[in-house]
Every structure is written in structure tokens, then in C-alpha cells.
Amino acid sequence: MQKPLPRWIAHRGGGSLAPENTLAGIRLAAQLGFKAVEFDVMLSGDGTPILIHDETLERTTNGRGPVAETSDNILFSLDAGRGERIPRFAEAAALCRELGLLANVEIKPATGYEKPTAEVVARMTAEFWRGASVQPLLSSFSLEALEIARDLAPEIERGVLFELAPTDWLAEMRRLQAVSLHCDAALLGNDVLAEANARGIPVLCYTVNVPEKAKMLFERGVSALFTDRLDLFSPKQLLTKACI
Ligand code: G3P
Ligand code: MG
């Protein structure tokens, strides 16, 4: 894996300080000193990769219905919070490159769209970051998507993403030629962490918004944390605080 891996990753772009999965969020993360951002990429009804987390529009926009059945002209007219638009993946990639951010691109296929989503996102990721000094990291809960990414864009590093790491997590990592293990901080077992640490595999945990929990996870040997609390864990803030 490329080094150094930042310890803090802004979750869904800008965490809770900005509308999630927006360019404003990514910009804010960079302003606050974050060196890495995570965002979710799904296909629109027209097959365009866009930044959004849910399969439906209601929670994060003023639109309605399934993302995978909504055309681009509707999607891009929606308000994704505080006047922000839903970004195209291409725009987010360009911004991350411009700001020198490490992008953790989470392939987030709507159910049934695993193959087309992975194909488009893997190909575009390789294209968008060709020649960039800071390379992105692809991840997904969909192992099928990671398999496709491995085959179509082997040069882009992959992280396997689980809620709870299954007993065969290491075999899956090897099969997918992944470099990192991503999992829910609340479900990370000591045995999995010890095995990963012994093998030099970075463990990245989501979503950590409480300083005491962050401290404990780093002490246990976790490499990096995804956070919504950009205000608490901004690297600029941490320079002035001895807490973590
Ligand atoms: O990639 C880490 C984290 O984003 C996974 O959970 O649901 O926020 O995409 P979710
Ligand atoms: Mg995500």
C-alpha cells in the first residue's frame, strides 16, 4: 500500500460539517487539513457514476425515488444540501487530484447493478488518476465489484470492506489482491486485528466520531479511521491537541 496512509479519512466527503458526498464537503476536508476523503459512487439511470450513498434520493436530496431509475437531467437539478449539486465522479476525482487528496472511492452499486457499476468505476478510476502522484484506493462491500476492479484496473489498490470481517477475510483479501481491510469499528475483533497487524495489513475502521474511541482503536493497532466529525478530528486541530 502507498505510504504514508493518513490516520484520518473524511467520511462521505465532508462528514457532518458539509452535505455528504458533495464537492463542498471534499473542499472543506482539504481546508481542515485532511489528507484523505472517502466517498460513495453509484450509477445514475443513464449509467453516469455519481456521488451518493443511498439507493434512493429522499434522505440526502430534495428528489424522490431510486437513483438507478433517475435520469441525469433530473439528478443534476436536485439540491443535495445547502444548494450543492450531486457531483459526477469525474468532478470529485478532478477535485481530489487538484487538492492532492487520497480518495477512497467506495463502489456502491444499487442492488442488481454490481457488474456495470464496478466496470465503469474501475475503468474511470484508472483513467482519472493516471500519472497522479497520490493514487486512490478502491473499496466496496460488494466482493463481486472488487473482483471486477481487480481484473479491469489491477494497478489501482483495493481494500476489502466488511461490516464484520468474516472468518475467511484473509483468503478473500488474497483472492482480491487487496491491500487493506476496512470494517465497522464497533465489530472489530481482537483476533482479526492481531492477525492483520502481524501480517502488516492496514486496518481502516468506520465510522468513529468520539475521541476516546479513536484513541482506543489507534492504541489497539488500527491504522486509520473514517470520521464524520471533521470539527473534532481535523488534522489542524490535532496539532494543537495532545489527545490522539
Ligand atoms: O467505506 C467506509 C464506510 O463509508 C462504509 O459505510 O455505509 O458509510 O458507506 P457507508
Ligand atoms: Mg462509504
Side-chain angles (χ1 to χ4, degrees), residues 23-211:
L23 298 182
I26 295 173
R27 275 196 202 96
L28 180 68
Q31 270 165 23
L32 291 172
F34 281 79
K35 300 284 177 232
V37 292
E38 181 264 3
F39 52 78
D40 308 292
V41 183
M42 195 179 290
L43 295 187
S44 73
D46 290 325
T48 304
I50 57 166
L51 269 58
I52 196 156
H53 180 274
D54 297 4
E55 292 198 23
T56 51
L57 293 162
E58 280 80 352
R59 184 179 62 83
T60 56
T61 76
N62 58 349
R64 297 173 68 83
V67 174
E69 292 172 19
T70 307
S71 64
D72 288 356
N73 58 2
I74 294 178
L75 282 174
F76 296 130
S77 70
L78 298 176
D79 187 341
R82 293 175 229 170
E84 283 295 304
R85 264 193 317 103
I86 296 175
R88 292 169 199 272
F89 176 37
E91 295 172 298
L95 184 59
C96 287
R97 275 198 71 163
E98 180 193 323
L99 298 172
L101 291 168
L102 187 158
N104 176 194
V105 179
E106 185 188 335
I107 307 172
K108 186 74 103 183
T111 311
Y113 291 83
E114 287 77 7
K115 189 164 182 279
T117 310
E119 287 176 353
V120 169
V121 177
R123 285 210 174 94
M124 286 193 171
T125 302
E127 186 188 318
F128 293 154
W129 273 276
R130 191 160 293 131
S133 53
V134 182
Q135 284 291 311
L137 175 64
L138 281 169
S139 65
S140 188
F141 286 113
S142 164
L143 300 182
E144 182 189 347
L146 289 177
E147 201 175 318
I148 291 168
R150 175 199 65 196
D151 295 343
L152 292 184
E155 71 275 29
I156 305 294
E157 291 187 325
R158 290 164 300 288
V160 284
L161 176 54
F162 298 110
E163 288 179 10
L164 169 68
T167 47
D168 64 346
W169 66 272
L170 187 56
E172 283 299 331
M173 276 196 70
R174 287 190 176 134
R175 185 176 71 81
L176 297 163
Q177 296 164 19
V179 298
S180 52
L181 172 66
H182 306 200
C183 60
D184 186 334
L187 302 176
L188 175 64
N190 286 332
D191 47 347
V192 170
L193 185 56
E195 173 102 56
N197 283 342
R199 294 176 182 276
I201 297 169
V203 176
L204 287 64
C205 286
Y206 67 90
T207 307
V208 178
N209 295 326
V210 176

